Amino acid sequence: MAEMRQETDYVKHHIQKVVSFFLAMRNFQEELSVKGHHFIYLKIGDNHNPQHLEKIIQKYVNETGADFFEYQLPDEYRLDEQLKDICKGLSIETEAVDSEHFYTTRYELKNFFSDKKQYLMESFYRTMRKKHDIMMINDQPDGGKWNFDHSNRKKWKGKPEIPHERGFRKDVSAVVREIENAGIETMGNIDAKSFSWPTTRADSLSALNYFCKNLLVHFGDYQDALHSEQKFLFHSRLSFAMNSKLISPKEVIDKVLDHYYEHPENIHISQVEGFVRQILGWREYMRGMYWALMPNYRHCNELDNQNKLPDFYWTGDTKMNCLKHAITQSLDEAYAHHIQRLMITGNYALLTQVHPDEIDAWYLGIYIDAIEWVEITNTRGMSQFADGGLIATKPYVSSANYINKMGNYCSECHYSHTKKLGENACPFNALYWNFLDEKREHFANNHRMNMMMSLLGKKNKQELTELKERAKKVIEHPELF
Ligand SMILES: Cc1cc2nc3c(=O)[nH]c(=O)nc-3n(C[C@H](O)[C@H](O)[C@H](O)COP(=O)(O)OP(=O)(O)OC[C@H]3O[C@@H](n4cnc5c(N)ncnc54)[C@H](O)[C@@H]3O)c2cc1C
Ligand code: SF4
């Protein structure tokens, strides 16, 4: 196993992300060494570490006199290509084995949709439920419905209480020093004496247990909620543990279902279905879409967005309260929950027409769970509509109205969420109408946009001109807002 500059430097990562990956790798090596497995382990600061995958494999194939090279299929296209190339250069036999860390194989989704017009997540999810017999009763969905999405949209108003996060509170100062000494450039903040991400299997299982006992009961209801004082609400924070393969999605779903079937009187099925859908549905769907659409997906920019990402994405220094909270939290915790990513930072970037390369690099760096297969599909596809509607059937854009409906950011903001024009009008409002107007031709044939486009059509000309002027100012001078 090797900690490599190749991996720390392909994008600027959050410091907590680098620490978590190194610790997860080191702990994995330690746990398996105790069981008698043999490792060559290269730390980032080791003098003899070549820091590059090809050089490392060649070096150790030669030094050990290996006559066979076998690897597990990586999750990223970049590494997949690299490993294939490396194998071509080796004079020994090579073989790749599939990963067992997903419910699906790489091309299962592509095959599933091969004769269909649209890649609809819902139909894939239902098939997965049946195939894996998850929440099914005689071929029918448990609870009588496949999807409880409509009951998953509550605003959190201080109640029900959110039990304190358990946390692991480890001192990781030594690893942070190693990373600094190696000269790796990172972003974001870390409280190195009290680090709380799960980086062992035991940590991950305990986080999963904690979620089942304390948070699952309200997960579905508040999964779309936003709150200035609650960074995590009822979210599980299990994405890093799953993406780094400390635990598998099947383990997570099995445990959640066991807990539910043991306590059916306490937990409503809508909470459980909401959670299962995220993992069995969205997570597997994103992985399948990634392998179906790469490598071209990396360059898609259907809306032809060209603007720069505002500097405040790296500091949180803005008067817009929702963005200030979502960005500051991301810098402090390497975490934001789904609606913060989609409807705050993602929404603003799309409305201000930021180039997808810029926004991709930011998401790929800042979040603890960001690995390209799940980051790019969520960012370019779901959040930025850069694929023209393959993943999301309409762009996830909103004015202040939605943000105010789902949380309390607006009530504490410098701007007024109800005002469209004037110095203290919420910038999202002007940006929203400007975006619809500028991208009109892209949405002309999208029936899911009909209502929004017909409202745009009814806008008074003078008002639209003024909204567009304000939007122009916001886009050209983000530092003023
Ligand atoms: C713009 C954008 C970028 C994102 N980038 C990433 C990323 O790099 N890595 C990543 O793992 N997730 C990403 N997501 C999806 C989602 O936001 C995170 O998985 C989630 O916030 C992780 O926190 P959690 O573990 O507390 O999730 P919970 O809310 O507790 O959900 C449980 C699990 O469901 C899975 N899940 C939920 N939504 C999705 C989704 N849309 N796609 C895939 N899996 C999902 C995750 O594994 C998550 O751990 C992104 C979403 C958006 C809108
Ligand atoms: S008023 Fe606008 S900028 Fe302020 S928090 Fe609400 S949506 Fe965000």
Side-chain angles (χ1 to χ4, degrees):
M1 291 182 83
E3 299 166 9
M4 291 182 279
R5 291 305 293 259
Q6 166 187 314
E7 294 306 301
T8 57
D9 296 5
Y10 69 83
V11 75
K12 194 196 266 193
H13 301 282
H14 197 292
I15 176 70
Q16 296 189 35
K17 183 179 173 191
V18 184
V19 167
S20 295
F21 270 102
F22 285 3
L23 282 179
M25 289 164 67
R26 291 177 189 190
N27 289 325
F28 178 72
Q29 183 244 338
E30 240 173 70
E31 280 170 26
L32 290 198
S33 295
V34 169
K35 291 183 184 162
H37 291 273
H38 296 284
F39 279 85
I40 295 165
Y41 193 99
L42 300 174
K43 285 192 174 172
I44 198 72
D46 288 346
N47 286 336
H48 58 286
N49 183 343
Q51 306 286 354
H52 187 270
L53 188 57
E54 183 174 7
K55 290 186 189 145
I56 291 172
I57 291 172
Q58 273 166 353
K59 175 175 153 94
Y60 288 102
V61 162
N62 290 339
E63 280 184 16
T64 60
D67 52 16
F68 187 54
F69 173 66
E70 198 175 24
Y71 65 97
Q72 184 182 149
L73 286 178
D75 300 337
E76 279 181 302
Y77 190 86
R78 172 182 66 89
L79 283 169
D80 198 48
E81 292 291 291
Q82 191 185 16
L83 278 157
K84 280 191 217 150
D85 280 350
I86 293 171
C87 286
K88 277 187 213 147
L90 292 176
S91 52
I92 54 174
E93 212 184 310
T94 64
E95 196 173 320
V97 293
D98 207 349
S99 164
E100 292 180 349
H101 290 271
F102 294 94
Y103 277 92
T104 44
T105 57
R106 270 188 185 178
Y107 297 105
E108 194 169 328
L109 174 138
K110 190 176 179 181
N111 296 336
F112 175 76
F113 285 115
S114 62
D115 57 349
K116 304 192 176 66
K117 272 198 191 136
Q118 270 186 312
Y119 297 95
L120 282 182
M121 198 298 278
E122 187 63 30
S123 58
F124 169 74
Y125 167 58
R126 291 182 189 186
T127 306
M128 292 290 285
R129 289 263 300 268
K130 287 187 211 154
K131 177 173 174 189
H132 296 280
D133 194 20
I134 291 175
M135 301 177 76
M136 297 299 300
I137 299 174
N138 301 332
D139 224 30
Q140 288 304 310
D142 195 355
K145 278 205 288 187
W146 288 103
N147 187 318
F148 290 80
D149 210 12
H150 285 284
S151 50
N152 293 164
R153 290 175 190 164
K154 284 194 187 152
K155 183 171 178 168
W156 187 76
K157 296 178 185 163
K159 287 221 164 81
E161 213 166 296
I162 304 169
H164 267 288
E165 41 152 343
R166 191 186 158 285
F168 302 97
R169 312 296 161 207
K170 288 166 284 199
D171 185 346
V172 298
S173 314
V175 191
V176 173
R177 264 195 309 278
E178 282 178 61
I179 293 168
E180 283 166 1
N181 291 342
I184 296 167
E185 268 192 61
T186 58
M187 66 156 113
N189 309 315
I190 185 165
D191 179 356
K193 296 233 173 291
S194 183
F195 189 69
S196 66
W197 285 102
T199 51
T200 62
R201 234 185 103 66
D203 284 356
S204 309
L205 290 171
S206 119
L208 171 59
N209 260 328
Y210 186 80
F211 171 75
C212 290
K213 285 198 184 134
N214 300 288
L215 305 170
L216 176 64
V217 63
H218 298 301
F219 174 85
D221 284 350
Y222 298 101
Q223 66 174 308
D224 286 2
L226 297 159
H227 202 276
S228 58
E229 279 148 39
Q230 294 292 338
K231 298 172 178 173
F232 311 122
L233 289 149
F234 294 94
H235 294 280
S236 69
R237 286 191 290 156
L238 285 168
S239 50
F240 174 76
M242 275 187 278
N243 295 357
S244 62
K245 302 181 174 173
L246 287 168
I247 48 174
S248 75
K250 183 168 184 326
E251 278 179 294
V252 174
I253 289 185
D254 286 351
K255 176 82 197 167
V256 162
L257 291 179
D258 284 351
H259 188 81
Y260 166 58
Y261 289 121
E262 279 162 23
H263 304 91
E265 68 291 352
N266 295 342
I267 303 172
H268 192 263
I269 191 163
S270 61
Q271 319 295 340
V272 183
E273 190 281 321
F275 188 75
V276 166
R277 184 173 356 117
Q278 303 311 322
I279 296 179
L280 185 70
W282 281 110
R283 189 172 187 273
E284 295 291 328
Y285 174 81
M286 290 306 192
R287 167 175 146 92
M289 290 298 276
Y290 180 74
W291 287 105
L293 302 169
M294 281 296 275
N296 295 342
Y297 206 73
R298 189 185 277 155
H299 305 294
C300 63
N301 182 9
E302 284 289 319
L303 295 181
D304 194 23
N305 288 336
Q306 300 295 341
N307 292 331
K308 219 179 126 302
L309 193 66
D311 288 346
F312 64 69
Y313 270 69
W314 305 93
T315 61
D317 187 12
T318 165
K319 295 196 286 273
M320 291 179 271
N321 200 36
C322 51
L323 282 160
K324 188 194 199 73
H325 273 279
I327 294 170
T328 310
Q329 171 190 325
S330 303
L331 290 166
D332 288 346
E333 309 287 346
Y335 178 88
H337 60 72
H338 189 68
I339 295 299
Q340 289 175 311
R341 298 187 204 195
L342 188 65
M343 297 312 293
I344 308 289
T345 42
N347 186 14
Y348 187 82
L350 180 53
L351 291 177
T352 51
Q353 301 166 41
V354 171
H355 195 291
D357 287 355
E358 295 238 337
I359 188 75
D360 242 343
W362 186 79
Y363 277 103
L364 188 57
I366 199 162
Y367 291 117
I368 190 102
D369 51 33
I371 304 182
E372 194 189 63
W373 66 267
V374 57
E375 177 281 322
I376 200 171
T377 40
N378 270 294
T379 304
R380 279 200 187 230
M382 182 181 266
S383 160
Q384 299 300 296
F385 206 71
D387 59 11
L390 295 175
I391 284 180
T393 46
K394 68 176 170 67
Y396 280 96
V397 282
S398 82
S399 63
N401 193 23
Y402 174 85
I403 297 171
N404 182 55
K405 196 170 99 191
M406 297 313 296
N408 71 339
Y409 292 136
C410 299
S411 59
E412 300 168 356
C413 186
H414 169 87
Y415 295 102
S416 160
H417 70 276
T418 52
K419 288 200 174 159
K420 295 195 184 78
L421 290 167
E423 276 310 301
N424 72 337
C426 170
F428 278 85
N429 294 336
L431 288 169
Y432 176 77
W433 294 109
N434 177 63
F435 172 81
L436 293 184
D437 185 56
E438 293 212 345
K439 304 295 174 189
R440 255 175 214 276
E441 83 270 20
H442 293 280
F443 307 135
N445 298 322
N446 184 333
H447 72 276
R448 295 209 63 207
M449 294 296 285
N450 284 354
M451 203 170 85
M452 290 188 209
M453 299 320 282
S454 96
L455 287 174
L456 175 70
K458 286 182 194 146
K459 274 243 164 284
N460 165 307
K461 234 185 173 176
Q462 174 64 22
E463 191 193 1
L464 188 58
T465 309
E466 287 174 35
L467 286 166
K468 286 175 69 66
E469 269 165 25
R470 180 160 170 79
K472 188 166 182 278
K473 191 170 163 198
V474 178
I475 290 171
E476 286 176 1
H477 295 286
E479 73 285 359
L480 300 178
F481 293 84

